[in-house]
Amino acid sequence: MDGLETDARVTMKRLRETIWALHDAAVTTGAFCERLRSEVRQQTHGRERPTITMTCSSAGDLAPAVALYLYRFAQEAIAYAF
């Protein structure tokens, strides 16, 4: 049951992230960067962690699908760092 609950939580989290990215016609770079910062905090909470440096600049808006792909790529990179 614990495994099932964990899988359900991960699935719900990914669904919320997908809805976030696809909700609007575009995702601002500021919102995207804040979402990544939140992901870093969540994945590194309570762990000894390497230094992760993020630099964001206003480069305009991102198409929702692009934002979602970049976000998933960044999630994997963050997870791989640990």
Side-chain angles (χ1 to χ4, degrees):
M1 287 302 274
D2 289 339
L4 182 60
E5 181 180 354
T6 300
D7 289 347
R9 287 183 190 280
V10 168
T11 300
M12 288 173 32
K13 181 179 184 277
R14 290 193 176 216
L15 180 58
R16 282 192 298 272
E17 293 162 354
T18 302
I19 291 168
W20 159 77
L22 301 177
H23 181 275
D24 295 320
V27 177
T28 66
T29 53
F32 180 79
C33 289
E34 185 52 41
R35 195 72 177 203
L36 281 180
R37 285 185 186 97
S38 177
E39 182 67 22
V40 169
R41 285 190 299 271
Q42 288 177 10
Q43 285 199 34
T44 60
H45 182 72
R47 296 183 185 186
E48 185 175 326
R49 56 188 179 263
T51 301
I52 296 176
T53 304
M54 283 183 48
T55 304
C56 293
S57 61
S58 279
D61 295 339
L62 300 169
V66 171
L68 185 59
Y69 292 138
L70 289 173
Y71 185 75
R72 294 280 186 244
F73 178 78
Q75 277 182 312
E76 290 300 317
I78 294 164
Y80 188 73
F82 300 97

